[in-house]
Amino acid sequence: MLKLTGSKHLKYEASKKREKEPKPDPVAPRMPTKLSAAGKKYWKWFVPKLEELGILSQDNRETLKRYCALMAIWDELYEDVKANGVSQMSPNTGTSSQRPEYRSMMQIGEECRKLEGEFGLTPSTRTKIEAINAPEKADDNPEKQYFA
């Protein structure tokens, strides 16, 4: 009943649970050496964004590695699908079917979306994460300094 009505008591219980969660050090993990060149490109792009959000720790290394590797594969599949299309004609039956590259691209895209959700990088999951060590941001409005 509390969940359906959005009760403040439910929010209090959720915040109490978060207090008990382990709080790993917010230190960026080292880039895995076995990532492909494209995977390393994603690592270099993705890790600073997670650091800025304050949700990165050493414990995230393998999940990040998987995400970066999958995104590199997704890029290759996307280029193939862009060049060769989504469907193919069977030479024997003359029927059209989805190309295996397209199906793989869609499956990998779904896995990447799930991993992005784990890091709070989708609009619906962003509100459900709590930063380990949220960085302090300078206020962009200088008037607040004088007219607060």
Side-chain angles (χ1 to χ4, degrees), residues 55-90:
I55 58 172
L56 189 60
S57 75
Q58 291 284 337
D59 300 342
N60 303 129
R61 185 173 190 261
E62 293 305 310
T63 307
L64 279 170
K65 177 181 163 184
R66 187 177 328 119
Y67 176 77
C68 294
L70 286 171
M71 281 303 297
I73 294 167
W74 188 91
D75 279 349
E76 290 177 25
L77 291 168
Y78 173 76
E79 291 302 322
D80 182 87
V81 169
K82 192 167 73 169
N84 300 308
V86 171
S87 60
Q88 62 187 4
M89 282 292 209
S90 170

PDB file of all heavy atoms in Angstrom, residues 55-90:
ATOM      1  N   ILE A  55      29.644   8.180  -9.080  1.00  0.00           N
ATOM      2  CA  ILE A  55      29.108   6.829  -8.889  1.00  0.00           C
ATOM      3  C   ILE A  55      30.090   5.739  -9.302  1.00  0.00           C
ATOM      4  O   ILE A  55      29.709   4.592  -9.475  1.00  0.00           O
ATOM      5  CB  ILE A  55      27.782   6.642  -9.658  1.00  0.00           C
ATOM      6  CG1 ILE A  55      27.970   6.909 -11.141  1.00  0.00           C
ATOM      7  CG2 ILE A  55      26.703   7.516  -9.070  1.00  0.00           C
ATOM      8  CD1 ILE A  55      26.765   6.562 -11.973  1.00  0.00           C
ATOM      9  N   LEU A  56      31.349   6.063  -9.421  1.00  0.00           N
ATOM     10  CA  LEU A  56      32.339   5.102  -9.889  1.00  0.00           C
ATOM     11  C   LEU A  56      33.205   4.610  -8.742  1.00  0.00           C
ATOM     12  O   LEU A  56      33.560   5.372  -7.851  1.00  0.00           O
ATOM     13  CB  LEU A  56      33.234   5.773 -10.947  1.00  0.00           C
ATOM     14  CG  LEU A  56      34.186   4.881 -11.696  1.00  0.00           C
ATOM     15  CD1 LEU A  56      33.441   3.808 -12.456  1.00  0.00           C
ATOM     16  CD2 LEU A  56      35.006   5.706 -12.665  1.00  0.00           C
ATOM     17  N   SER A  57      33.527   3.320  -8.770  1.00  0.00           N
ATOM     18  CA  SER A  57      34.451   2.749  -7.789  1.00  0.00           C
ATOM     19  C   SER A  57      35.222   1.612  -8.437  1.00  0.00           C
ATOM     20  O   SER A  57      34.895   1.174  -9.540  1.00  0.00           O
ATOM     21  CB  SER A  57      33.698   2.250  -6.558  1.00  0.00           C
ATOM     22  OG  SER A  57      33.033   1.046  -6.843  1.00  0.00           O
ATOM     23  N   GLN A  58      36.214   1.109  -7.727  1.00  0.00           N
ATOM     24  CA  GLN A  58      37.014  -0.016  -8.217  1.00  0.00           C
ATOM     25  C   GLN A  58      36.135  -1.238  -8.491  1.00  0.00           C
ATOM     26  O   GLN A  58      36.434  -2.029  -9.370  1.00  0.00           O
ATOM     27  CB  GLN A  58      38.088  -0.392  -7.185  1.00  0.00           C
ATOM     28  CG  GLN A  58      39.177   0.629  -7.029  1.00  0.00           C
ATOM     29  CD  GLN A  58      40.161   0.599  -8.186  1.00  0.00           C
ATOM     30  OE1 GLN A  58      40.306  -0.389  -8.878  1.00  0.00           O
ATOM     31  NE2 GLN A  58      40.822   1.714  -8.402  1.00  0.00           N
ATOM     32  N   ASP A  59      35.083  -1.381  -7.742  1.00  0.00           N
ATOM     33  CA  ASP A  59      34.185  -2.526  -7.888  1.00  0.00           C
ATOM     34  C   ASP A  59      33.476  -2.561  -9.241  1.00  0.00           C
ATOM     35  O   ASP A  59      32.935  -3.591  -9.618  1.00  0.00           O
ATOM     36  CB  ASP A  59      33.123  -2.520  -6.781  1.00  0.00           C
ATOM     37  CG  ASP A  59      33.723  -2.593  -5.402  1.00  0.00           C
ATOM     38  OD1 ASP A  59      34.907  -2.984  -5.282  1.00  0.00           O
ATOM     39  OD2 ASP A  59      33.023  -2.268  -4.435  1.00  0.00           O
ATOM     40  N   ASN A  60      33.466  -1.456  -9.948  1.00  0.00           N
ATOM     41  CA  ASN A  60      32.760  -1.366 -11.227  1.00  0.00           C
ATOM     42  C   ASN A  60      33.589  -1.822 -12.421  1.00  0.00           C
ATOM     43  O   ASN A  60      33.100  -1.797 -13.543  1.00  0.00           O
ATOM     44  CB  ASN A  60      32.305   0.074 -11.494  1.00  0.00           C
ATOM     45  CG  ASN A  60      31.427   0.632 -10.415  1.00  0.00           C
ATOM     46  OD1 ASN A  60      31.680   1.707  -9.919  1.00  0.00           O
ATOM     47  ND2 ASN A  60      30.390  -0.081 -10.054  1.00  0.00           N
ATOM     48  N   ARG A  61      34.818  -2.236 -12.198  1.00  0.00           N
ATOM     49  CA  ARG A  61      35.746  -2.503 -13.307  1.00  0.00           C
ATOM     50  C   ARG A  61      35.200  -3.510 -14.318  1.00  0.00           C
ATOM     51  O   ARG A  61      35.207  -3.265 -15.518  1.00  0.00           O
ATOM     52  CB  ARG A  61      37.087  -2.972 -12.781  1.00  0.00           C
ATOM     53  CG  ARG A  61      38.120  -3.157 -13.884  1.00  0.00           C
ATOM     54  CD  ARG A  61      39.490  -3.464 -13.273  1.00  0.00           C
ATOM     55  NE  ARG A  61      40.527  -3.426 -14.265  1.00  0.00           N
ATOM     56  CZ  ARG A  61      41.021  -4.515 -14.853  1.00  0.00           C
ATOM     57  NH1 ARG A  61      40.571  -5.707 -14.526  1.00  0.00           N
ATOM     58  NH2 ARG A  61      41.977  -4.401 -15.757  1.00  0.00           N
ATOM     59  N   GLU A  62      34.742  -4.651 -13.854  1.00  0.00           N
ATOM     60  CA  GLU A  62      34.298  -5.694 -14.786  1.00  0.00           C
ATOM     61  C   GLU A  62      33.019  -5.303 -15.522  1.00  0.00           C
ATOM     62  O   GLU A  62      32.857  -5.617 -16.697  1.00  0.00           O
ATOM     63  CB  GLU A  62      34.130  -7.031 -14.060  1.00  0.00           C
ATOM     64  CG  GLU A  62      35.447  -7.602 -13.566  1.00  0.00           C
ATOM     65  CD  GLU A  62      36.492  -7.754 -14.675  1.00  0.00           C
ATOM     66  OE1 GLU A  62      36.169  -8.327 -15.729  1.00  0.00           O
ATOM     67  OE2 GLU A  62      37.638  -7.293 -14.476  1.00  0.00           O
ATOM     68  N   THR A  63      32.131  -4.609 -14.841  1.00  0.00           N
ATOM     69  CA  THR A  63      30.905  -4.148 -15.498  1.00  0.00           C
ATOM     70  C   THR A  63      31.235  -3.106 -16.550  1.00  0.00           C
ATOM     71  O   THR A  63      30.691  -3.130 -17.665  1.00  0.00           O
ATOM     72  CB  THR A  63      29.921  -3.578 -14.459  1.00  0.00           C
ATOM     73  OG1 THR A  63      29.727  -4.549 -13.430  1.00  0.00           O
ATOM     74  CG2 THR A  63      28.593  -3.235 -15.091  1.00  0.00           C
ATOM     75  N   LEU A  64      32.138  -2.193 -16.224  1.00  0.00           N
ATOM     76  CA  LEU A  64      32.583  -1.199 -17.202  1.00  0.00           C
ATOM     77  C   LEU A  64      33.277  -1.850 -18.388  1.00  0.00           C
ATOM     78  O   LEU A  64      33.060  -1.461 -19.539  1.00  0.00           O
ATOM     79  CB  LEU A  64      33.562  -0.220 -16.552  1.00  0.00           C
ATOM     80  CG  LEU A  64      32.984   0.896 -15.743  1.00  0.00           C
ATOM     81  CD1 LEU A  64      34.083   1.611 -14.970  1.00  0.00           C
ATOM     82  CD2 LEU A  64      32.268   1.867 -16.635  1.00  0.00           C
ATOM     83  N   LYS A  65      34.114  -2.829 -18.106  1.00  0.00           N
ATOM     84  CA  LYS A  65      34.820  -3.550 -19.168  1.00  0.00           C
ATOM     85  C   LYS A  65      33.808  -4.194 -20.118  1.00  0.00           C
ATOM     86  O   LYS A  65      33.934  -4.088 -21.342  1.00  0.00           O
ATOM     87  CB  LYS A  65      35.730  -4.605 -18.546  1.00  0.00           C
ATOM     88  CG  LYS A  65      36.464  -5.471 -19.525  1.00  0.00           C
ATOM     89  CD  LYS A  65      37.311  -6.486 -18.759  1.00  0.00           C
ATOM     90  CE  LYS A  65      37.752  -7.635 -19.601  1.00  0.00           C
ATOM     91  NZ  LYS A  65      38.480  -8.632 -18.810  1.00  0.00           N
ATOM     92  N   ARG A  66      32.810  -4.852 -19.556  1.00  0.00           N
ATOM     93  CA  ARG A  66      31.775  -5.493 -20.373  1.00  0.00           C
ATOM     94  C   ARG A  66      31.031  -4.466 -21.216  1.00  0.00           C
ATOM     95  O   ARG A  66      30.805  -4.667 -22.407  1.00  0.00           O
ATOM     96  CB  ARG A  66      30.803  -6.258 -19.473  1.00  0.00           C
ATOM     97  CG  ARG A  66      29.809  -7.096 -20.231  1.00  0.00           C
ATOM     98  CD  ARG A  66      28.891  -7.923 -19.346  1.00  0.00           C
ATOM     99  NE  ARG A  66      29.512  -8.350 -18.108  1.00  0.00           N
ATOM    100  CZ  ARG A  66      29.059  -8.009 -16.896  1.00  0.00           C
ATOM    101  NH1 ARG A  66      27.993  -7.259 -16.770  1.00  0.00           N
ATOM    102  NH2 ARG A  66      29.653  -8.435 -15.810  1.00  0.00           N
ATOM    103  N   TYR A  67      30.676  -3.346 -20.600  1.00  0.00           N
ATOM    104  CA  TYR A  67      29.952  -2.303 -21.334  1.00  0.00           C
ATOM    105  C   TYR A  67      30.788  -1.777 -22.496  1.00  0.00           C
ATOM    106  O   TYR A  67      30.301  -1.669 -23.620  1.00  0.00           O
ATOM    107  CB  TYR A  67      29.563  -1.158 -20.393  1.00  0.00           C
ATOM    108  CG  TYR A  67      28.903  -0.020 -21.124  1.00  0.00           C
ATOM    109  CD1 TYR A  67      27.579  -0.117 -21.519  1.00  0.00           C
ATOM    110  CD2 TYR A  67      29.613   1.138 -21.438  1.00  0.00           C
ATOM    111  CE1 TYR A  67      26.972   0.913 -22.211  1.00  0.00           C
ATOM    112  CE2 TYR A  67      29.009   2.164 -22.126  1.00  0.00           C
ATOM    113  CZ  TYR A  67      27.687   2.059 -22.520  1.00  0.00           C
ATOM    114  OH  TYR A  67      27.095   3.075 -23.215  1.00  0.00           O
ATOM    115  N   CYS A  68      32.040  -1.460 -22.239  1.00  0.00           N
ATOM    116  CA  CYS A  68      32.907  -0.894 -23.286  1.00  0.00           C
ATOM    117  C   CYS A  68      33.153  -1.895 -24.404  1.00  0.00           C
ATOM    118  O   CYS A  68      33.153  -1.535 -25.581  1.00  0.00           O
ATOM    119  CB  CYS A  68      34.222  -0.412 -22.678  1.00  0.00           C
ATOM    120  SG  CYS A  68      33.981   0.979 -21.548  1.00  0.00           S
ATOM    121  N   ALA A  69      33.355  -3.162 -24.053  1.00  0.00           N
ATOM    122  CA  ALA A  69      33.557  -4.193 -25.062  1.00  0.00           C
ATOM    123  C   ALA A  69      32.296  -4.380 -25.906  1.00  0.00           C
ATOM    124  O   ALA A  69      32.373  -4.480 -27.143  1.00  0.00           O
ATOM    125  CB  ALA A  69      33.953  -5.511 -24.401  1.00  0.00           C
ATOM    126  N   LEU A  70      31.145  -4.400 -25.253  1.00  0.00           N
ATOM    127  CA  LEU A  70      29.890  -4.553 -25.987  1.00  0.00           C
ATOM    128  C   LEU A  70      29.614  -3.361 -26.895  1.00  0.00           C
ATOM    129  O   LEU A  70      29.140  -3.527 -28.024  1.00  0.00           O
ATOM    130  CB  LEU A  70      28.723  -4.752 -25.013  1.00  0.00           C
ATOM    131  CG  LEU A  70      28.637  -6.115 -24.352  1.00  0.00           C
ATOM    132  CD1 LEU A  70      27.576  -6.097 -23.248  1.00  0.00           C
ATOM    133  CD2 LEU A  70      28.329  -7.192 -25.363  1.00  0.00           C
ATOM    134  N   MET A  71      29.904  -2.162 -26.422  1.00  0.00           N
ATOM    135  CA  MET A  71      29.682  -0.982 -27.265  1.00  0.00           C
ATOM    136  C   MET A  71      30.587  -1.002 -28.495  1.00  0.00           C
ATOM    137  O   MET A  71      30.178  -0.595 -29.580  1.00  0.00           O
ATOM    138  CB  MET A  71      29.886   0.303 -26.461  1.00  0.00           C
ATOM    139  CG  MET A  71      28.714   0.659 -25.584  1.00  0.00           C
ATOM    140  SD  MET A  71      27.136   0.831 -26.464  1.00  0.00           S
ATOM    141  CE  MET A  71      27.488   2.200 -27.555  1.00  0.00           C
ATOM    142  N   ALA A  72      31.815  -1.477 -28.341  1.00  0.00           N
ATOM    143  CA  ALA A  72      32.726  -1.579 -29.481  1.00  0.00           C
ATOM    144  C   ALA A  72      32.171  -2.567 -30.515  1.00  0.00           C
ATOM    145  O   ALA A  72      32.192  -2.293 -31.722  1.00  0.00           O
ATOM    146  CB  ALA A  72      34.111  -2.006 -29.012  1.00  0.00           C
ATOM    147  N   ILE A  73      31.642  -3.690 -30.047  1.00  0.00           N
ATOM    148  CA  ILE A  73      31.046  -4.674 -30.958  1.00  0.00           C
ATOM    149  C   ILE A  73      29.793  -4.103 -31.592  1.00  0.00           C
ATOM    150  O   ILE A  73      29.548  -4.269 -32.795  1.00  0.00           O
ATOM    151  CB  ILE A  73      30.742  -5.983 -30.203  1.00  0.00           C
ATOM    152  CG1 ILE A  73      32.041  -6.638 -29.741  1.00  0.00           C
ATOM    153  CG2 ILE A  73      29.936  -6.941 -31.061  1.00  0.00           C
ATOM    154  CD1 ILE A  73      31.850  -7.761 -28.739  1.00  0.00           C
ATOM    155  N   TRP A  74      28.972  -3.400 -30.793  1.00  0.00           N
ATOM    156  CA  TRP A  74      27.753  -2.788 -31.312  1.00  0.00           C
ATOM    157  C   TRP A  74      28.087  -1.822 -32.449  1.00  0.00           C
ATOM    158  O   TRP A  74      27.400  -1.793 -33.466  1.00  0.00           O
ATOM    159  CB  TRP A  74      26.993  -2.069 -30.191  1.00  0.00           C
ATOM    160  CG  TRP A  74      25.642  -1.581 -30.628  1.00  0.00           C
ATOM    161  CD1 TRP A  74      24.463  -2.257 -30.544  1.00  0.00           C
ATOM    162  CD2 TRP A  74      25.345  -0.314 -31.237  1.00  0.00           C
ATOM    163  NE1 TRP A  74      23.456  -1.489 -31.055  1.00  0.00           N
ATOM    164  CE2 TRP A  74      23.965  -0.300 -31.493  1.00  0.00           C
ATOM    165  CE3 TRP A  74      26.102   0.780 -31.591  1.00  0.00           C
ATOM    166  CZ2 TRP A  74      23.326   0.784 -32.080  1.00  0.00           C
ATOM    167  CZ3 TRP A  74      25.479   1.866 -32.182  1.00  0.00           C
ATOM    168  CH2 TRP A  74      24.091   1.866 -32.417  1.00  0.00           C
ATOM    169  N   ASP A  75      29.142  -1.021 -32.280  1.00  0.00           N
ATOM    170  CA  ASP A  75      29.545  -0.080 -33.335  1.00  0.00           C
ATOM    171  C   ASP A  75      29.863  -0.810 -34.641  1.00  0.00           C
ATOM    172  O   ASP A  75      29.455  -0.369 -35.716  1.00  0.00           O
ATOM    173  CB  ASP A  75      30.774   0.720 -32.909  1.00  0.00           C
ATOM    174  CG  ASP A  75      30.431   1.887 -32.001  1.00  0.00           C
ATOM    175  OD1 ASP A  75      29.233   2.220 -31.860  1.00  0.00           O
ATOM    176  OD2 ASP A  75      31.377   2.466 -31.432  1.00  0.00           O
ATOM    177  N   GLU A  76      30.609  -1.924 -34.539  1.00  0.00           N
ATOM    178  CA  GLU A  76      30.945  -2.700 -35.743  1.00  0.00           C
ATOM    179  C   GLU A  76      29.688  -3.237 -36.415  1.00  0.00           C
ATOM    180  O   GLU A  76      29.555  -3.174 -37.640  1.00  0.00           O
ATOM    181  CB  GLU A  76      31.866  -3.865 -35.384  1.00  0.00           C
ATOM    182  CG  GLU A  76      33.261  -3.462 -34.994  1.00  0.00           C
ATOM    183  CD  GLU A  76      34.102  -4.657 -34.575  1.00  0.00           C
ATOM    184  OE1 GLU A  76      33.802  -5.799 -35.008  1.00  0.00           O
ATOM    185  OE2 GLU A  76      35.064  -4.453 -33.820  1.00  0.00           O
ATOM    186  N   LEU A  77      28.787  -3.774 -35.616  1.00  0.00           N
ATOM    187  CA  LEU A  77      27.534  -4.303 -36.164  1.00  0.00           C
ATOM    188  C   LEU A  77      26.684  -3.198 -36.782  1.00  0.00           C
ATOM    189  O   LEU A  77      26.083  -3.390 -37.843  1.00  0.00           O
ATOM    190  CB  LEU A  77      26.753  -5.045 -35.074  1.00  0.00           C
ATOM    191  CG  LEU A  77      27.378  -6.350 -34.601  1.00  0.00           C
ATOM    192  CD1 LEU A  77      26.686  -6.836 -33.336  1.00  0.00           C
ATOM    193  CD2 LEU A  77      27.328  -7.401 -35.691  1.00  0.00           C
ATOM    194  N   TYR A  78      26.650  -2.061 -36.148  1.00  0.00           N
ATOM    195  CA  TYR A  78      25.884  -0.932 -36.677  1.00  0.00           C
ATOM    196  C   TYR A  78      26.400  -0.527 -38.053  1.00  0.00           C
ATOM    197  O   TYR A  78      25.607  -0.293 -38.972  1.00  0.00           O
ATOM    198  CB  TYR A  78      25.947   0.250 -35.696  1.00  0.00           C
ATOM    199  CG  TYR A  78      25.328   1.505 -36.254  1.00  0.00           C
ATOM    200  CD1 TYR A  78      23.944   1.639 -36.315  1.00  0.00           C
ATOM    201  CD2 TYR A  78      26.121   2.536 -36.738  1.00  0.00           C
ATOM    202  CE1 TYR A  78      23.372   2.782 -36.848  1.00  0.00           C
ATOM    203  CE2 TYR A  78      25.558   3.683 -37.265  1.00  0.00           C
ATOM    204  CZ  TYR A  78      24.178   3.808 -37.319  1.00  0.00           C
ATOM    205  OH  TYR A  78      23.614   4.934 -37.852  1.00  0.00           O
ATOM    206  N   GLU A  79      27.710  -0.425 -38.191  1.00  0.00           N
ATOM    207  CA  GLU A  79      28.296  -0.064 -39.497  1.00  0.00           C
ATOM    208  C   GLU A  79      27.955  -1.106 -40.551  1.00  0.00           C
ATOM    209  O   GLU A  79      27.660  -0.762 -41.695  1.00  0.00           O
ATOM    210  CB  GLU A  79      29.812   0.113 -39.377  1.00  0.00           C
ATOM    211  CG  GLU A  79      30.222   1.343 -38.578  1.00  0.00           C
ATOM    212  CD  GLU A  79      29.685   2.648 -39.149  1.00  0.00           C
ATOM    213  OE1 GLU A  79      29.648   2.794 -40.394  1.00  0.00           O
ATOM    214  OE2 GLU A  79      29.298   3.527 -38.359  1.00  0.00           O
ATOM    215  N   ASP A  80      27.971  -2.384 -40.175  1.00  0.00           N
ATOM    216  CA  ASP A  80      27.620  -3.449 -41.112  1.00  0.00           C
ATOM    217  C   ASP A  80      26.160  -3.348 -41.535  1.00  0.00           C
ATOM    218  O   ASP A  80      25.831  -3.451 -42.720  1.00  0.00           O
ATOM    219  CB  ASP A  80      27.904  -4.816 -40.490  1.00  0.00           C
ATOM    220  CG  ASP A  80      27.605  -5.945 -41.445  1.00  0.00           C
ATOM    221  OD1 ASP A  80      28.505  -6.308 -42.243  1.00  0.00           O
ATOM    222  OD2 ASP A  80      26.470  -6.459 -41.410  1.00  0.00           O
ATOM    223  N   VAL A  81      25.273  -3.143 -40.563  1.00  0.00           N
ATOM    224  CA  VAL A  81      23.844  -3.036 -40.858  1.00  0.00           C
ATOM    225  C   VAL A  81      23.572  -1.790 -41.690  1.00  0.00           C
ATOM    226  O   VAL A  81      22.760  -1.815 -42.625  1.00  0.00           O
ATOM    227  CB  VAL A  81      23.011  -3.050 -39.551  1.00  0.00           C
ATOM    228  CG1 VAL A  81      21.558  -2.668 -39.797  1.00  0.00           C
ATOM    229  CG2 VAL A  81      23.107  -4.423 -38.891  1.00  0.00           C
ATOM    230  N   LYS A  82      24.260  -0.705 -41.389  1.00  0.00           N
ATOM    231  CA  LYS A  82      24.086   0.525 -42.168  1.00  0.00           C
ATOM    232  C   LYS A  82      24.488   0.300 -43.630  1.00  0.00           C
ATOM    233  O   LYS A  82      23.820   0.766 -44.546  1.00  0.00           O
ATOM    234  CB  LYS A  82      24.928   1.641 -41.539  1.00  0.00           C
ATOM    235  CG  LYS A  82      24.601   3.020 -42.079  1.00  0.00           C
ATOM    236  CD  LYS A  82      25.209   4.121 -41.222  1.00  0.00           C
ATOM    237  CE  LYS A  82      26.699   4.197 -41.406  1.00  0.00           C
ATOM    238  NZ  LYS A  82      27.285   5.407 -40.807  1.00  0.00           N
ATOM    239  N   ALA A  83      25.572  -0.446 -43.834  1.00  0.00           N
ATOM    240  CA  ALA A  83      26.070  -0.689 -45.190  1.00  0.00           C
ATOM    241  C   ALA A  83      25.268  -1.757 -45.924  1.00  0.00           C
ATOM    242  O   ALA A  83      25.048  -1.647 -47.136  1.00  0.00           O
ATOM    243  CB  ALA A  83      27.542  -1.101 -45.137  1.00  0.00           C
ATOM    244  N   ASN A  84      24.809  -2.792 -45.216  1.00  0.00           N
ATOM    245  CA  ASN A  84      24.204  -3.951 -45.879  1.00  0.00           C
ATOM    246  C   ASN A  84      22.715  -4.140 -45.628  1.00  0.00           C
ATOM    247  O   ASN A  84      22.121  -5.057 -46.181  1.00  0.00           O
ATOM    248  CB  ASN A  84      24.950  -5.230 -45.461  1.00  0.00           C
ATOM    249  CG  ASN A  84      26.404  -5.163 -45.850  1.00  0.00           C
ATOM    250  OD1 ASN A  84      26.744  -4.885 -46.990  1.00  0.00           O
ATOM    251  ND2 ASN A  84      27.286  -5.400 -44.886  1.00  0.00           N
ATOM    252  N   GLY A  85      22.148  -3.317 -44.777  1.00  0.00           N
ATOM    253  CA  GLY A  85      20.713  -3.401 -44.530  1.00  0.00           C
ATOM    254  C   GLY A  85      20.340  -4.323 -43.379  1.00  0.00           C
ATOM    255  O   GLY A  85      21.168  -5.058 -42.844  1.00  0.00           O
ATOM    256  N   VAL A  86      19.060  -4.293 -43.061  1.00  0.00           N
ATOM    257  CA  VAL A  86      18.513  -5.048 -41.935  1.00  0.00           C
ATOM    258  C   VAL A  86      18.122  -6.462 -42.352  1.00  0.00           C
ATOM    259  O   VAL A  86      18.251  -7.404 -41.589  1.00  0.00           O
ATOM    260  CB  VAL A  86      17.279  -4.307 -41.362  1.00  0.00           C
ATOM    261  CG1 VAL A  86      16.542  -5.145 -40.349  1.00  0.00           C
ATOM    262  CG2 VAL A  86      17.686  -2.975 -40.776  1.00  0.00           C
ATOM    263  N   SER A  87      17.659  -6.598 -43.570  1.00  0.00           N
ATOM    264  CA  SER A  87      17.150  -7.900 -44.005  1.00  0.00           C
ATOM    265  C   SER A  87      17.957  -8.448 -45.171  1.00  0.00           C
ATOM    266  O   SER A  87      18.734  -7.746 -45.808  1.00  0.00           O
ATOM    267  CB  SER A  87      15.677  -7.796 -44.372  1.00  0.00           C
ATOM    268  OG  SER A  87      15.519  -6.871 -45.429  1.00  0.00           O
ATOM    269  N   GLN A  88      17.735  -9.741 -45.428  1.00  0.00           N
ATOM    270  CA  GLN A  88      18.410 -10.418 -46.536  1.00  0.00           C
ATOM    271  C   GLN A  88      17.420 -11.348 -47.210  1.00  0.00           C
ATOM    272  O   GLN A  88      16.466 -11.795 -46.604  1.00  0.00           O
ATOM    273  CB  GLN A  88      19.610 -11.205 -46.019  1.00  0.00           C
ATOM    274  CG  GLN A  88      19.239 -12.308 -45.048  1.00  0.00           C
ATOM    275  CD  GLN A  88      20.452 -12.970 -44.418  1.00  0.00           C
ATOM    276  OE1 GLN A  88      21.570 -12.556 -44.648  1.00  0.00           O
ATOM    277  NE2 GLN A  88      20.219 -13.988 -43.606  1.00  0.00           N
ATOM    278  N   MET A  89      17.659 -11.617 -48.485  1.00  0.00           N
ATOM    279  CA  MET A  89      16.830 -12.544 -49.249  1.00  0.00           C
ATOM    280  C   MET A  89      17.481 -13.913 -49.254  1.00  0.00           C
ATOM    281  O   MET A  89      18.683 -14.027 -49.483  1.00  0.00           O
ATOM    282  CB  MET A  89      16.670 -12.092 -50.689  1.00  0.00           C
ATOM    283  CG  MET A  89      15.677 -10.997 -50.863  1.00  0.00           C
ATOM    284  SD  MET A  89      14.039 -11.630 -50.520  1.00  0.00           S
ATOM    285  CE  MET A  89      13.117 -10.569 -51.551  1.00  0.00           C
ATOM    286  N   SER A  90      16.701 -14.912 -48.990  1.00  0.00           N
ATOM    287  CA  SER A  90      17.211 -16.279 -49.052  1.00  0.00           C
ATOM    288  C   SER A  90      17.299 -16.692 -50.524  1.00  0.00           C
ATOM    289  O   SER A  90      16.306 -16.597 -51.261  1.00  0.00           O
ATOM    290  CB  SER A  90      16.278 -17.223 -48.300  1.00  0.00           C
ATOM    291  OG  SER A  90      16.637 -18.559 -48.547  1.00  0.00           O
TER     292      SER A  90
END
